[in-house]
């Protein structure tokens, strides 16, 4: 058996994609898009060696674009096999990929309009909406914990990963030449105290583990401390006016922040002001959360019993259209605007930042991982001037980084997840982390468990 890495390796955090081949089978675990700066996004090609006509199945850990974004590209090039994941992942990935196809169409049209040279080929999007639509017929929803036969020699089981609604870690069991091998893919693991979602579950045995390491070099600030900081900013805006801009990952982070604002308003902690959900994708995703409330944690249901949900539409306002989004530029505040994209590498947040970064009464709250080269990363690094739509914008706004809201497990939680597998002494490959993060986690794992993880590069092939 061989496993080839087509992303999320070599210090790259995005683009998760593994090709698993045996004597009989070829399947993909995730097929994600690279995100961040232009260098990362230039890697968004069909994975070399993953021939769509030969891949028998795709297994998805969760719905985020960096784990699903190249699936329609496979379909465009002839993939017709089953796509397995939880029903929530399949529903959310459709929302994400429809948005991705729309943005690619718009970006290609813009580039051709502004930069096309007669005689040169036109820029084409990676895929079209029709290739996202084709996924529906291929999707196979699976329940957590149940063993699913994928091919004659490969079965799979998903367990809770606690990263977003429907997210899972995947355990592959491969029977080859009379031998059985177990390979675990952590997917993205969530922190244990993330509201709304249940905490991650554990595997007990593996021969090989592919483990995320996004925050392998540090722990987040405690969630309670993060909430104190967040509530203080909200209170300041409530009393003095101004805007809070939050570059928001539409699925997970947007719903978490709305949950906490509903909590504040329900308890009377602050005087309510308008909160605008300025993201069609987040609006659709919130509906998926609403339809799957049985999967949400106990704290959500307790708060719902107190009357915080459904939220008061007087203060929680959806902004689905471009026109309604543009009208937010004229608001004086106090108000909060939740807009994508989460890394400020596209979407409506760019317009809000362009109009408001000059204003010292604006607060920008960064609530998730920012890839190297992204505008969000530059704001985190306190660049005094940033470029948006070709215009240099001075950053006079107050920028806050609240990593405690991250949907990724911190170092201690990563170690806890692995501790259940450590007694079986598996080989370990650390993926989905910048080099500093995965090197630090590798050293700690060797010291704590006596296992030295491998740090693979994109294109490496691991034989088991």
């Amino acid at each position: 058996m061989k496993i080839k890495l087509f992303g999320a390796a070599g210090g790259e955090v995005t683009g998760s994609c593994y090709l698993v081949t045996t004597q009989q089978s070829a399947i993909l675990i995730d097929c994600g898009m690279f995100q961040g700066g232009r260098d990362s996004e230039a890697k968004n090609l069909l994975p070399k060696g993953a021939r769509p006509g030969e891949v028998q199945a795709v297994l998805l850990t969760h719905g985020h674009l960096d784990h699903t974004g190249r699936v329609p590209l496979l379909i465009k090039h002839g993939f017709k096999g089953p796509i397995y994941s939880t029903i929530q992942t399949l529903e959310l990935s459709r929302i994400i990929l429809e948005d991705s196809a729309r943005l690619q169409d718009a970006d290609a049209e813009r580039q051709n309009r502004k930069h096309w040279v007669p005689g040169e080929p036109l820029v084409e999007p990676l895929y079209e909406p029709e290739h996202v639509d084709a996924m529906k017929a291929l999707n196979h929803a699976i329940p957590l914990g149940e063993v699913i036969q994928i091919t004659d020699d490969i079965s799979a089981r998903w367990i809770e990963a606690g990263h977003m609604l429907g997210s899972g870690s995947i355990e592959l069991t491969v029977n080859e030449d009379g031998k059985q091998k177990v390979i675990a893919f952590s997917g993205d693991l969530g922190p244990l105290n993330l509201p709304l979602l249940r905490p991650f579950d554990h595997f007990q045995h593996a021969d090989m583990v592919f483990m995320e390491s996004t925050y392998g070099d540090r722990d987040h600030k405690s969630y309670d401390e993060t909430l104190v900081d967040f509530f203080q900013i909200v209170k300041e805006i409530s009393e003095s006016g101004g805007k809070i801009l939050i570059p928001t990952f539409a699925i997970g982070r947007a719903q978490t922040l709305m949950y906490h604002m509903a909590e504040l308003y329900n308890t009377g902690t602050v005087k309510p002001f308008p909160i605008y959900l300025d993201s069609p994708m987040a609006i659709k995703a919130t509906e998926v959360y609403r339809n799957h409330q049985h999967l949400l944690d106990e704290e959500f249901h307790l708060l719902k019993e107190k009357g915080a949900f459904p939220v008061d539409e007087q203060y929680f306002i959806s902004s689905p259209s471009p026109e309604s989004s543009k009208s937010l530029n004229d608001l004086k505040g106090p108000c909060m605007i939740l807009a994508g994209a989460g890394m400020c590498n596209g979407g409506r947040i760019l317009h809000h930042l362009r109009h408001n970064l000059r204003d010292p009464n604006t607060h920008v709250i960064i609530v998730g991982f920012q890839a190297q080269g992204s505008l969000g990363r530059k704001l985190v690094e306190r660049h005094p001037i940033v470029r948006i739509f070709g215009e240099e914008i001075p950053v006079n706004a107050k920028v806050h980084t609240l990593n405690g809201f991250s949907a990724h497990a911190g170092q201690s939680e990563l170690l806890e997840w692995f501790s259940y597998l450590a007694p079986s002494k598996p080989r370990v490959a650390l993926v989905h982390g910048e080099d500093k993060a995965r090197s630090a986690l590798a050293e700690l794992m060797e010291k704590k468990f006596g296992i030295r993880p491998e740090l693979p590069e994109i294109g490496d092939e691991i034989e088991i």
Side-chain angles (χ1 to χ4, degrees):
M1 170 177 36
K2 295 177 181 178
I3 301 176
K4 189 166 186 176
L5 292 86
F6 288 113
E12 175 68 68
V13 177
T14 59
S16 181
C17 185
Y18 310 86
L19 175 65
V20 181
T21 56
T22 69
Q23 292 174 356
Q24 300 181 53
S25 306
I27 67 170
L28 285 175
I29 307 295
D30 286 342
C31 193
M33 187 176 284
F34 292 91
Q35 296 174 281
R38 291 187 179 276
D39 290 344
S40 289
E41 292 168 3
K43 300 173 186 174
N44 284 321
L45 305 169
L46 193 69
K48 293 181 180 178
R51 289 179 283 275
E54 297 176 13
V55 173
Q56 291 153 279
V58 175
L59 284 59
L60 300 176
T61 58
H62 65 283
H64 279 147
L65 194 64
D66 63 324
H67 292 256
T68 65
R70 285 186 282 173
V71 173
L73 186 61
L74 289 177
I75 293 171
K76 178 180 179 179
H77 287 274
F79 174 74
K80 296 179 180 178
I83 301 168
Y84 294 96
S85 197
T86 64
I87 183 63
Q88 297 81 25
T89 289
L90 297 176
E91 289 180 10
L92 292 171
S93 64
R94 181 177 179 85
I95 294 170
I96 290 171
L97 292 168
E98 285 175 345
D99 185 69
S100 172
R102 179 185 61 79
L103 289 174
Q104 288 177 58
D105 259 344
D107 186 57
E109 189 275 332
R110 184 169 52 251
Q111 289 191 54
N112 288 326
R113 185 178 70 252
K114 291 187 174 182
H115 305 296
W116 179 69
V117 176
E120 294 292 322
L122 292 171
V123 174
E124 293 186 4
L126 276 180
Y127 46 80
E128 303 284 352
E130 66 195 69
H131 303 117
V132 178
D133 291 340
M135 284 182 65
K136 190 171 183 180
L138 307 180
N139 286 344
H140 291 254
I142 55 91
L144 292 176
E146 188 172 310
V147 176
I148 307 296
Q149 198 68 39
I150 306 298
T151 66
D152 288 343
D153 59 347
I154 300 177
S155 61
R157 178 170 69 102
W158 282 251
I159 63 171
E160 178 63 64
H163 174 65
M164 69 180 293
L165 189 67
S167 63
S169 302
I170 298 177
E171 175 189 76
L172 286 189
T173 301
V174 179
N175 292 286
E176 196 173 31
D177 292 334
K179 298 177 182 178
Q180 186 178 90
K181 295 290 183 182
V182 176
I183 304 94
F185 297 85
S186 73
D188 288 358
L189 298 168
L192 292 171
N193 55 0
L194 193 69
L196 297 180
L197 300 182
R198 296 172 181 173
F200 58 64
D201 202 352
H202 311 91
F203 295 126
Q204 304 295 328
H205 166 81
D207 297 292
M208 177 87 209
V209 179
F210 290 86
M211 180 176 167
E212 76 119 310
S213 58
T214 310
Y215 287 99
D217 57 341
R218 62 197 184 277
D219 280 320
H220 305 305
K221 193 172 186 177
S222 82
Y223 203 83
D224 288 343
E225 290 178 291
T226 299
L227 283 179
V228 169
D229 293 341
F230 178 66
F231 291 166
Q232 184 58 44
I233 299 166
V234 169
K235 186 177 181 182
E236 180 180 336
I237 286 291
S238 178
E239 294 172 353
S240 65
K243 292 182 180 178
I244 299 175
L245 303 181
I246 306 185
T248 310
F249 295 91
I251 300 177
R253 220 64 47 83
Q255 291 74 32
T256 296
L257 293 167
M258 291 173 64
Y259 168 90
H260 286 305
M261 293 304 295
E263 181 181 28
L264 281 179
Y265 290 178
N266 183 256
T267 57
T269 305
V270 297
K271 183 179 179 180
F273 55 79
I275 299 164
Y276 296 92
L277 188 57
D278 189 24
S279 166
M281 184 162 59
I283 294 167
K284 293 177 184 177
T286 300
E287 187 64 26
V288 175
Y289 273 69
R290 190 176 291 118
N291 293 338
H292 293 280
Q293 291 181 32
H294 63 286
L295 292 178
L296 303 183
D297 66 7
E298 184 179 352
E299 284 77 10
F300 169 81
H301 291 287
L302 290 173
L303 194 56
K304 183 179 178 182
E305 288 175 9
K306 295 177 181 178
F309 297 95
V311 294
D312 187 342
E313 293 183 2
Q314 178 183 355
Y315 299 112
F316 293 83
I317 303 166
S318 294
S319 177
S321 69
E323 291 73 25
S324 61
S325 178
K326 290 175 184 176
S327 70
L328 302 182
N329 292 326
D330 299 325
L331 293 177
K332 301 301 181 186
C335 67
M336 176 184 290
I337 299 173
L338 308 174
M343 294 186 194
C344 308
N345 56 340
R348 295 181 179 181
I349 192 63
L350 293 179
H351 297 275
H352 297 304
L353 292 170
R354 181 189 180 197
H355 280 89
N356 293 282
L357 279 179
R358 294 181 175 89
D359 186 351
N361 292 319
T362 297
H363 292 254
V364 180
I365 305 180
I366 303 294
V367 293
F369 181 80
Q370 304 297 312
Q372 193 72 252
S374 65
L375 173 59
R377 184 66 164 257
K378 292 172 183 176
L379 292 173
V380 168
E381 293 171 348
R382 300 294 194 271
H383 287 218
I385 297 174
V386 294
R387 184 176 289 274
I388 302 175
F389 301 130
E391 182 181 354
E392 291 192 343
I393 310 291
V395 182
N396 299 324
K398 300 177 180 70
V399 179
H400 311 267
T401 303
L402 301 183
N403 279 333
F405 280 130
S406 174
H408 282 274
Q411 184 186 74
S412 298
E413 292 157 325
L414 292 171
L415 292 171
E416 177 174 341
W417 183 85
F418 182 72
S419 69
Y420 289 79
L421 285 165
S424 60
K425 296 295 180 184
R427 286 176 67 185
V428 179
L430 293 183
V431 295
H432 208 288
E434 294 179 356
D435 284 333
K436 179 174 176 285
R438 61 181 189 157
S439 295
L441 186 60
E443 291 178 13
L444 201 54
M445 290 176 72
E446 184 174 28
K447 186 181 298 182
K448 189 175 180 67
F449 303 115
I451 298 171
R452 180 66 185 182
E454 303 167 32
L455 306 179
E457 300 290 320
I458 293 177
D460 282 358
E461 189 169 61
I462 295 173
E463 187 169 348
I464 304 171

